[in-house]
Amino acid sequence: MHVQSNIRNRRQILKLIRNRGEISRAELSKETGLTKPTISMIVRELTQGGYVTETGKGESSGGKRPIMLTLHPSNFYGIGIDLADEYLIRGIFCSMNGEIITRIESGYENNFENILNVLMTMIEKLMQYGSVDQVKGICIAASGLIDFRNNEIMHSHNFDIAGRNLAGVLKHHFGVPVLLENRPNAAAFAEKQLGCGKNFKHLIYMSSGRGVGAGIICDGKIFRGSSGIVGEIGRMLIPFEPELEYRGKTRHLEDLSRDSTLAGMASLAKGEELSYSQILDLYRLGDPDIERIFHKNAKFLAYAMQIVANILNPEAIILGGRASELGEHYLSEFKKEFYGDGSEISSRAQVLYSEFGRGGVSLGAAMMINDQILNFNL
């Protein structure tokens, strides 16, 4: 019991130091309720272990100026990888306190051998920024259903990676723990730890692009349900009036809202083949046909999120993925639908854009490794 209690106390102290940036021993004692001798003993252990360092003297409130503590900036690192939906792999090398040391992007072909080769090359480049002892793990965030008990990808609609023992292959090659995570979960974790969600204990992050998904934070932690398959909102059925643009589509949110659907509708409206990037430019220029398409999309997504919000009662809804690139006009349309029926529950939730945009997934993946370090699991 004493060992478990000591580990819990160390975790609590480390997370307070991370969240505050700098904090004194006296403040740690006050916020944790632990005695000053206990705080001093644990801080000494954490300093000797390389987790914590002293930064200098803080402001005095009447007595001696306190010695401030912070996480050691260069002893432990995590690598976060985003198997992104737009045929890019994004990787970052990140310190324990969330400082991004470097970022790398690379294209790939959608077959397992090519994805594996690109991942290995990218991770080798990232690991050059720290010693073998400093890199504590790799987290790969991918679209699909993750079996967290067995650290395996069960199903991926967009990638040839399901059932391939990706984590096991990379762990064997690099000799460090490799975790798998769902992309919306990783992005939600980044917002909770470092972004616009850090002041909320309950939030929902919604991502849209080639698919639609949600990452859910409950009481400050990722909500995983009974088996880890949570946030698959893309399968929700959306009621709507049948229109010409939607012929051949199901009423699933994901089928109606993915970027290829929006580009197809815009191409039909304009009488020429248009890519998603082209219709995004037209939307920003105020093209009325394209505005109508995107605002219908905002209505669908807001309808789905209102249902989820009424069930989970979050403090915030964070729009990420490609929706976060659409500006205030789109956000206004989303809010109009989301708050439209005056629901007592959903009206309490703030609606925000992601702070990190497309970079949030890889950052969140790296922060998950760092969180495992702070919990003494790695």
Side-chain angles (χ1 to χ4, degrees):
M1 286 294 293
H2 175 72
V3 173
Q4 291 178 342
S5 176
N6 187 43
I7 291 175
R8 282 197 303 271
N9 291 338
R10 292 170 74 183
R11 288 172 177 167
Q12 185 181 14
I13 288 169
L14 276 177
K15 290 186 176 181
L16 270 173
I17 295 172
R18 179 186 64 187
N19 294 340
R20 290 283 294 273
E22 287 188 342
I23 191 170
S24 69
R25 289 170 176 82
E27 289 172 314
L28 285 172
S29 177
K30 182 179 179 180
E31 295 202 25
T32 62
L34 298 172
T35 65
K36 291 182 179 179
T38 299
I39 291 292
S40 294
M41 179 191 70
I42 293 175
V43 167
R44 183 167 58 251
E45 292 173 351
L46 294 174
T47 302
Q48 292 171 349
Y51 293 92
V52 170
T53 187
E54 295 178 344
T55 62
K57 294 185 177 181
E59 296 295 323
S60 171
S61 58
K64 292 174 60 178
R65 293 173 62 193
I67 301 296
M68 305 303 288
L69 304 167
T70 190
L71 295 182
H72 201 294
S74 59
N75 275 359
F76 303 107
Y77 295 96
I79 290 175
I81 303 291
D82 175 15
L83 278 175
D85 284 341
E86 59 269 26
Y87 295 106
L88 274 178
I89 295 178
R90 299 187 178 97
I92 70 166
F93 191 80
C94 182
S95 72
M96 190 166 58
N97 60 7
E99 179 188 1
I100 298 172
I101 309 303
T102 191
R103 297 179 183 268
I104 299 177
E105 290 187 356
S106 179
Y108 66 92
E109 297 174 10
N110 196 6
N111 62 77
F112 181 72
E113 289 74 20
N114 181 261
I115 291 172
L116 182 61
N117 287 335
V118 172
L119 282 172
M120 286 187 170
T121 300
M122 177 176 287
I123 293 168
E124 285 170 357
K125 290 179 180 178
L126 290 169
M127 292 187 81
Q128 293 174 5
Y129 287 85
S131 69
V132 174
D133 292 338
Q134 289 175 316
V135 179
K136 294 300 180 181
I138 301 162
C139 180
I140 297 174
S143 298
L145 305 182
I146 311 294
D147 178 354
F148 292 100
R149 292 189 181 94
N150 296 306
N151 205 29
E152 179 62 284
I153 299 169
M154 295 186 294
H155 172 76
S156 178
H157 181 73
N158 297 328
F159 305 100
D160 180 24
I161 52 177
R164 300 290 197 134
N165 190 29
L166 178 62
V169 172
L170 293 174
K171 179 181 178 181
H172 177 76
H173 184 81
F174 291 105
V176 298
V178 177
L179 308 179
L180 297 175
E181 186 52 85
N182 182 274
R183 293 186 73 240
N185 284 349
F189 195 72
E191 298 294 343
K192 172 62 187 132
Q193 294 297 320
L194 300 170
C196 64
K198 60 187 174 185
N199 294 323
F200 303 114
K201 294 182 70 175
H202 305 272
L203 65 86
I204 302 170
Y205 175 97
M206 187 201 68
S207 176
S208 63
R210 287 176 70 192
V212 180
I216 301 168
I217 302 287
C218 287
D219 200 24
K221 300 176 183 178
I222 293 176
F223 178 67
R224 299 195 184 278
S226 62
S227 62
I229 303 174
V230 175
E232 295 297 319
I233 62 171
R235 304 307 296 167
M236 292 179 67
L237 291 173
I238 303 298
F240 67 95
E241 293 296 324
E243 298 178 23
L244 177 64
E245 299 101 317
Y246 295 107
R247 287 182 183 173
K249 301 296 179 185
T250 72
R251 290 170 58 192
H252 290 124
L253 176 65
E254 190 167 74
D255 202 22
L256 296 172
S257 299
R258 59 168 51 104
D259 50 16
S260 59
T261 298
L262 301 181
M265 292 168 59
S267 298
L268 186 63
K270 290 299 186 183
E272 61 177 311
E273 193 70 25
L274 296 170
S275 67
Y276 181 83
S277 61
Q278 288 174 313
I279 68 169
L280 181 58
D281 290 339
L282 289 172
Y283 177 74
R284 289 168 174 163
L285 291 171
D287 184 288
D289 294 326
I290 307 303
E291 279 192 346
R292 179 179 60 82
I293 291 168
F294 272 105
H295 294 168
K296 176 75 78 170
N297 168 255
K299 182 177 181 179
F300 291 159
L301 294 176
Y303 172 86
M305 290 311 298
Q306 188 188 73
I307 293 173
V308 178
N310 282 331
I311 295 170
L312 295 178
N313 188 24
E315 298 167 275
I317 304 291
I318 300 175
L319 303 186
R322 294 192 172 179
S324 64
E325 302 169 350
L326 294 172
E328 290 303 315
H329 193 22
Y330 182 90
L331 185 63
S332 176
E333 290 295 319
F334 182 97
K335 288 180 177 179
K336 186 188 301 182
E337 180 69 21
F338 183 78
Y339 296 127
D341 72 348
S343 165
E344 177 67 22
I345 298 175
S346 60
S347 65
R348 298 183 180 208
Q350 295 185 44
V351 177
L352 309 164
Y353 271 144
S354 161
E355 186 166 324
F356 301 116
R358 299 192 195 188
V361 176
S362 55
L363 176 59
M367 290 304 295
M368 286 179 167
I369 293 296
N370 295 334
D371 198 60
Q372 293 291 307
I373 296 170
L374 296 183
N375 281 302
F376 303 100
N377 293 328
L378 294 180

